[in-house]
Amino acid sequence: MKAQESKSVFQRVTEQILAELAKGSAPWRKPWQADFGLPKNLVSRKPYRGVNVLTLMTAALCDDYPSNCG
């Protein structure tokens, strides 16, 4: 029973990928440019440095903010 369920899932995913390819898109490519690195000031766009980075990270962890990475 489990083998049939897995095959069904694999088949559905394969069909979705093939449908996207038929439309001319590559579903595994992201159409945007990611900007990772240190957090930046919203106004000046300068990266935070030193203890400010640690302060932001601990505040985000303590207040359950979602991650900005991937």
Side-chain angles (χ1 to χ4, degrees):
M1 180 84 179
K2 185 157 176 101
Q4 288 178 335
E5 290 175 12
S6 294
K7 186 174 181 184
S8 173
V9 170
F10 294 134
Q11 187 62 39
R12 284 189 293 155
V13 171
T14 301
E15 289 169 1
Q16 289 173 347
I17 291 172
L18 291 174
E20 289 299 317
L21 288 172
K23 289 190 232 175
S25 71
W28 54 85
R29 291 190 181 160
K30 61 181 180 182
W32 64 89
Q33 199 65 9
D35 186 22
F36 294 110
L38 294 174
K40 296 178 183 175
N41 181 289
L42 186 61
V43 176
S44 70
R45 305 299 294 160
K46 292 181 182 177
Y48 287 105
R49 302 180 311 181
V51 74
N52 290 328
V53 176
L54 295 174
T55 304
L56 285 169
M57 290 170 62
T58 55
L61 288 172
C62 291
D63 292 336
D64 292 327
Y65 282 96
S67 171
N68 288 335
C69 298

